[in-house]
Amino acid sequence: MAAKTRLDHRNPFVFDTHELGRRPGALQRLTRTVDAPRDFGLQGVVGVPEGAPVELELRLESVMEGVLVTGTARAAAQGECVRCLEPVGLRLEADFQEMFSYPDADDRGRVIAEPGDDAEEDESRLFIEDGLIDLEPVLRDAVVLALPMQPVCRDDCPGLCSECGARLADDPDHHHAAVDIRWAALQGLADTMTDGEKDEMGGDVPRSARADEKQEK
């Protein structure tokens, strides 16, 4: 099993809790603007563009188990209307709260699992590592929950014409003449026939034959 990568304090999503201390009840308020990472949102649907500013307001509180982080992330998201496929821009505001637990470690800093610990529960928990916490996974989850699964340019967007793909909002009176499907095949056949073939099918006498008949009379 590969060793876990240590947190880098230079990462804008990593915060240092040393100043907060471990005394329960201690508080620290922070604000920070970071660049949105790649795939920050619902991939292929709506999200914050990579590199766009994300404003963070954080409240760090020291508790017995670790550090409780409460905050709000604000950013401008972009996507595509699911009805008319036009670009959509919206203001994102995602609230979140997460507990970062203190690891129980020996004098070498190695994490010691307590007897009876549930392995699955440990995997879902977030830990403080050398006094540092990584907020990126927490923010990703919060942003996904705050974004609409089916963004629309407006609530009453009529979408696109199912026949020609025209944007109905640009032409409210847009419509197509109704064609009885029972006659559509016959109409297509008639359009491909020559005039002579149409006359024969309709039982009409060709013009040349009518002229010969008139001369005989």
Side-chain angles (χ1 to χ4, degrees):
M1 182 176 178
K4 185 176 182 179
T5 305
R6 295 177 63 120
L7 297 182
D8 185 351
H9 69 277
R10 294 169 297 182
N11 184 329
F13 291 95
V14 171
F15 290 79
D16 194 332
T17 67
H18 285 101
E19 186 177 339
L20 177 66
R22 296 188 64 161
R23 181 174 59 85
L27 293 174
Q28 187 178 16
R29 298 183 184 276
L30 300 171
T31 59
R32 181 181 295 184
T33 300
V34 300
D35 292 339
R38 186 177 181 182
D39 299 330
F40 202 50
L42 296 168
Q43 191 172 1
V45 180
V46 61
V48 181
E50 183 177 1
V54 180
E55 300 172 1
L56 301 177
E57 290 186 6
L58 305 174
R59 179 178 182 269
L60 279 60
E61 180 180 2
S62 179
V63 296
M64 290 294 295
E65 300 85 359
V67 174
L68 179 65
V69 180
T70 305
T72 301
R74 298 183 179 89
Q78 297 178 4
E80 186 178 80
C81 178
V82 295
R83 297 178 187 170
C84 69
L85 308 182
E86 288 293 306
V88 173
L90 54 92
R91 189 65 182 171
L92 166 72
E93 183 167 316
D95 297 323
F96 57 91
Q97 186 175 72
E98 190 66 48
M99 169 67 74
F100 287 82
S101 302
Y102 293 125
D104 295 319
D106 63 11
D107 56 357
R108 295 185 182 181
R110 295 177 301 189
V111 175
I112 300 176
E114 297 180 359
D117 277 355
D118 189 331
E120 293 185 1
E121 182 179 346
D122 284 344
E123 289 181 1
S124 65
R125 293 171 63 190
L126 297 176
F127 291 94
I128 301 171
E129 301 177 26
D130 298 326
L132 304 176
I133 58 176
D134 183 7
L135 282 184
E136 183 173 344
V138 177
L139 289 172
R140 284 187 178 277
D141 290 344
V143 166
V144 168
L145 292 175
L147 288 170
M149 298 292 291
Q150 295 186 320
V152 291
C153 58
R154 68 187 203 198
D155 292 340
D156 60 346
C157 174
L160 303 176
C161 174
S162 60
E163 294 190 37
C164 68
R167 188 168 181 263
L168 299 179
D170 296 334
D171 184 8
D173 297 327
H174 180 86
H175 68 281
H176 294 270
V179 177
D180 192 327
I181 59 174
R182 295 173 297 179
W183 295 102
L186 292 177
Q187 181 61 44
L189 177 62
D191 292 340
T192 61
M193 293 173 60
T194 63
D195 290 341
E197 290 173 330
K198 292 180 181 179
D199 290 340
E200 291 176 6
M201 294 220 26
D204 292 339
V205 179
R207 184 179 302 174
S208 59
R210 290 197 299 267
D212 293 340
E213 182 180 356
K214 188 178 294 183
Q215 289 177 358
E216 290 176 0
K217 290 180 180 180

mmCIF file with all atom_site columns, all heavy atoms in Angstrom, residues 205-215:
data_model
loop_
_atom_site.group_PDB
_atom_site.id
_atom_site.type_symbol
_atom_site.label_atom_id
_atom_site.label_alt_id
_atom_site.label_comp_id
_atom_site.label_asym_id
_atom_site.label_entity_id
_atom_site.label_seq_id
_atom_site.pdbx_PDB_ins_code
_atom_site.Cartn_x
_atom_site.Cartn_y
_atom_site.Cartn_z
_atom_site.occupancy
_atom_site.B_iso_or_equiv
_atom_site.pdbx_formal_charge
_atom_site.auth_seq_id
_atom_site.auth_comp_id
_atom_site.auth_asym_id
_atom_site.auth_atom_id
_atom_site.pdbx_PDB_model_num
ATOM 1  N N   . VAL A 1 205 ? -56.615 10.388 -69.902 1.00 0.00 ? 205 VAL A N   1
ATOM 2  C CA  . VAL A 1 205 ? -56.112 10.066 -71.229 1.00 0.00 ? 205 VAL A CA  1
ATOM 3  C C   . VAL A 1 205 ? -55.042 11.065 -71.589 1.00 0.00 ? 205 VAL A C   1
ATOM 4  O O   . VAL A 1 205 ? -55.239 12.272 -71.421 1.00 0.00 ? 205 VAL A O   1
ATOM 5  C CB  . VAL A 1 205 ? -57.252 10.131 -72.266 1.00 0.00 ? 205 VAL A CB  1
ATOM 6  C CG1 . VAL A 1 205 ? -56.714 9.806  -73.661 1.00 0.00 ? 205 VAL A CG1 1
ATOM 7  C CG2 . VAL A 1 205 ? -58.354 9.152  -71.877 1.00 0.00 ? 205 VAL A CG2 1
ATOM 8  N N   . PRO A 1 206 ? -53.878 10.594 -72.117 1.00 0.00 ? 206 PRO A N   1
ATOM 9  C CA  . PRO A 1 206 ? -52.819 11.523 -72.505 1.00 0.00 ? 206 PRO A CA  1
ATOM 10 C C   . PRO A 1 206 ? -53.319 12.539 -73.509 1.00 0.00 ? 206 PRO A C   1
ATOM 11 O O   . PRO A 1 206 ? -54.217 12.277 -74.301 1.00 0.00 ? 206 PRO A O   1
ATOM 12 C CB  . PRO A 1 206 ? -51.746 10.603 -73.101 1.00 0.00 ? 206 PRO A CB  1
ATOM 13 C CG  . PRO A 1 206 ? -52.017 9.264  -72.466 1.00 0.00 ? 206 PRO A CG  1
ATOM 14 C CD  . PRO A 1 206 ? -53.506 9.196  -72.299 1.00 0.00 ? 206 PRO A CD  1
ATOM 15 N N   . ARG A 1 207 ? -52.695 13.753 -73.510 1.00 0.00 ? 207 ARG A N   1
ATOM 16 C CA  . ARG A 1 207 ? -53.130 14.842 -74.388 1.00 0.00 ? 207 ARG A CA  1
ATOM 17 C C   . ARG A 1 207 ? -53.042 14.444 -75.850 1.00 0.00 ? 207 ARG A C   1
ATOM 18 O O   . ARG A 1 207 ? -53.914 14.795 -76.649 1.00 0.00 ? 207 ARG A O   1
ATOM 19 C CB  . ARG A 1 207 ? -52.269 16.062 -74.116 1.00 0.00 ? 207 ARG A CB  1
ATOM 20 C CG  . ARG A 1 207 ? -52.698 17.296 -74.899 1.00 0.00 ? 207 ARG A CG  1
ATOM 21 C CD  . ARG A 1 207 ? -51.816 18.475 -74.572 1.00 0.00 ? 207 ARG A CD  1
ATOM 22 N NE  . ARG A 1 207 ? -51.861 18.744 -73.136 1.00 0.00 ? 207 ARG A NE  1
ATOM 23 C CZ  . ARG A 1 207 ? -51.093 19.660 -72.538 1.00 0.00 ? 207 ARG A CZ  1
ATOM 24 N NH1 . ARG A 1 207 ? -50.215 20.341 -73.249 1.00 0.00 ? 207 ARG A NH1 1
ATOM 25 N NH2 . ARG A 1 207 ? -51.193 19.863 -71.247 1.00 0.00 ? 207 ARG A NH2 1
ATOM 26 N N   . SER A 1 208 ? -51.989 13.725 -76.281 1.00 0.00 ? 208 SER A N   1
ATOM 27 C CA  . SER A 1 208 ? -51.828 13.330 -77.696 1.00 0.00 ? 208 SER A CA  1
ATOM 28 C C   . SER A 1 208 ? -52.958 12.402 -78.145 1.00 0.00 ? 208 SER A C   1
ATOM 29 O O   . SER A 1 208 ? -53.456 12.494 -79.267 1.00 0.00 ? 208 SER A O   1
ATOM 30 C CB  . SER A 1 208 ? -50.465 12.643 -77.899 1.00 0.00 ? 208 SER A CB  1
ATOM 31 O OG  . SER A 1 208 ? -50.376 11.500 -77.055 1.00 0.00 ? 208 SER A OG  1
ATOM 32 N N   . ALA A 1 209 ? -53.401 11.528 -77.239 1.00 0.00 ? 209 ALA A N   1
ATOM 33 C CA  . ALA A 1 209 ? -54.487 10.608 -77.599 1.00 0.00 ? 209 ALA A CA  1
ATOM 34 C C   . ALA A 1 209 ? -55.783 11.369 -77.780 1.00 0.00 ? 209 ALA A C   1
ATOM 35 O O   . ALA A 1 209 ? -56.587 11.062 -78.656 1.00 0.00 ? 209 ALA A O   1
ATOM 36 C CB  . ALA A 1 209 ? -54.632 9.542  -76.513 1.00 0.00 ? 209 ALA A CB  1
ATOM 37 N N   . ARG A 1 210 ? -56.005 12.400 -76.954 1.00 0.00 ? 210 ARG A N   1
ATOM 38 C CA  . ARG A 1 210 ? -57.234 13.186 -77.088 1.00 0.00 ? 210 ARG A CA  1
ATOM 39 C C   . ARG A 1 210 ? -57.246 13.941 -78.407 1.00 0.00 ? 210 ARG A C   1
ATOM 40 O O   . ARG A 1 210 ? -58.281 14.116 -79.051 1.00 0.00 ? 210 ARG A O   1
ATOM 41 C CB  . ARG A 1 210 ? -57.365 14.151 -75.901 1.00 0.00 ? 210 ARG A CB  1
ATOM 42 C CG  . ARG A 1 210 ? -57.656 13.460 -74.573 1.00 0.00 ? 210 ARG A CG  1
ATOM 43 C CD  . ARG A 1 210 ? -58.192 14.471 -73.553 1.00 0.00 ? 210 ARG A CD  1
ATOM 44 N NE  . ARG A 1 210 ? -57.225 15.516 -73.295 1.00 0.00 ? 210 ARG A NE  1
ATOM 45 C CZ  . ARG A 1 210 ? -56.342 15.468 -72.301 1.00 0.00 ? 210 ARG A CZ  1
ATOM 46 N NH1 . ARG A 1 210 ? -56.285 14.398 -71.504 1.00 0.00 ? 210 ARG A NH1 1
ATOM 47 N NH2 . ARG A 1 210 ? -55.492 16.452 -72.111 1.00 0.00 ? 210 ARG A NH2 1
ATOM 48 N N   . ALA A 1 211 ? -56.068 14.399 -78.877 1.00 0.00 ? 211 ALA A N   1
ATOM 49 C CA  . ALA A 1 211 ? -55.992 15.128 -80.147 1.00 0.00 ? 211 ALA A CA  1
ATOM 50 C C   . ALA A 1 211 ? -56.314 14.210 -81.322 1.00 0.00 ? 211 ALA A C   1
ATOM 51 O O   . ALA A 1 211 ? -57.035 14.578 -82.259 1.00 0.00 ? 211 ALA A O   1
ATOM 52 C CB  . ALA A 1 211 ? -54.584 15.716 -80.316 1.00 0.00 ? 211 ALA A CB  1
ATOM 53 N N   . ASP A 1 212 ? -55.790 12.958 -81.296 1.00 0.00 ? 212 ASP A N   1
ATOM 54 C CA  . ASP A 1 212 ? -56.083 12.018 -82.392 1.00 0.00 ? 212 ASP A CA  1
ATOM 55 C C   . ASP A 1 212 ? -57.534 11.692 -82.431 1.00 0.00 ? 212 ASP A C   1
ATOM 56 O O   . ASP A 1 212 ? -58.169 11.570 -83.493 1.00 0.00 ? 212 ASP A O   1
ATOM 57 C CB  . ASP A 1 212 ? -55.288 10.720 -82.170 1.00 0.00 ? 212 ASP A CB  1
ATOM 58 C CG  . ASP A 1 212 ? -53.778 10.974 -82.312 1.00 0.00 ? 212 ASP A CG  1
ATOM 59 O OD1 . ASP A 1 212 ? -53.438 11.995 -82.931 1.00 0.00 ? 212 ASP A OD1 1
ATOM 60 O OD2 . ASP A 1 212 ? -52.974 10.141 -81.818 1.00 0.00 ? 212 ASP A OD2 1
ATOM 61 N N   . GLU A 1 213 ? -58.182 11.555 -81.300 1.00 0.00 ? 213 GLU A N   1
ATOM 62 C CA  . GLU A 1 213 ? -59.596 11.240 -81.255 1.00 0.00 ? 213 GLU A CA  1
ATOM 63 C C   . GLU A 1 213 ? -60.432 12.384 -81.840 1.00 0.00 ? 213 GLU A C   1
ATOM 64 O O   . GLU A 1 213 ? -61.396 12.156 -82.549 1.00 0.00 ? 213 GLU A O   1
ATOM 65 C CB  . GLU A 1 213 ? -60.012 10.974 -79.787 1.00 0.00 ? 213 GLU A CB  1
ATOM 66 C CG  . GLU A 1 213 ? -61.469 10.587 -79.660 1.00 0.00 ? 213 GLU A CG  1
ATOM 67 C CD  . GLU A 1 213 ? -61.837 10.336 -78.203 1.00 0.00 ? 213 GLU A CD  1
ATOM 68 O OE1 . GLU A 1 213 ? -60.917 10.392 -77.352 1.00 0.00 ? 213 GLU A OE1 1
ATOM 69 O OE2 . GLU A 1 213 ? -63.025 10.131 -77.937 1.00 0.00 ? 213 GLU A OE2 1
ATOM 70 N N   . LYS A 1 214 ? -59.987 13.609 -81.623 1.00 0.00 ? 214 LYS A N   1
ATOM 71 C CA  . LYS A 1 214 ? -60.737 14.760 -82.128 1.00 0.00 ? 214 LYS A CA  1
ATOM 72 C C   . LYS A 1 214 ? -60.648 14.820 -83.653 1.00 0.00 ? 214 LYS A C   1
ATOM 73 O O   . LYS A 1 214 ? -61.606 15.157 -84.342 1.00 0.00 ? 214 LYS A O   1
ATOM 74 C CB  . LYS A 1 214 ? -60.174 16.032 -81.504 1.00 0.00 ? 214 LYS A CB  1
ATOM 75 C CG  . LYS A 1 214 ? -60.988 17.262 -81.800 1.00 0.00 ? 214 LYS A CG  1
ATOM 76 C CD  . LYS A 1 214 ? -60.411 18.488 -81.113 1.00 0.00 ? 214 LYS A CD  1
ATOM 77 C CE  . LYS A 1 214 ? -60.535 18.331 -79.627 1.00 0.00 ? 214 LYS A CE  1
ATOM 78 N NZ  . LYS A 1 214 ? -60.060 19.541 -78.913 1.00 0.00 ? 214 LYS A NZ  1
ATOM 79 N N   . GLN A 1 215 ? -59.443 14.457 -84.243 1.00 0.00 ? 215 GLN A N   1
ATOM 80 C CA  . GLN A 1 215 ? -59.281 14.481 -85.680 1.00 0.00 ? 215 GLN A CA  1
ATOM 81 C C   . GLN A 1 215 ? -60.155 13.415 -86.348 1.00 0.00 ? 215 GLN A C   1
ATOM 82 O O   . GLN A 1 215 ? -60.716 13.611 -87.416 1.00 0.00 ? 215 GLN A O   1
ATOM 83 C CB  . GLN A 1 215 ? -57.816 14.239 -86.046 1.00 0.00 ? 215 GLN A CB  1
ATOM 84 C CG  . GLN A 1 215 ? -56.911 15.422 -85.698 1.00 0.00 ? 215 GLN A CG  1
ATOM 85 C CD  . GLN A 1 215 ? -55.464 15.150 -85.992 1.00 0.00 ? 215 GLN A CD  1
ATOM 86 O OE1 . GLN A 1 215 ? -55.119 14.024 -86.443 1.00 0.00 ? 215 GLN A OE1 1
ATOM 87 N NE2 . GLN A 1 215 ? -54.615 16.122 -85.781 1.00 0.00 ? 215 GLN A NE2 1
#
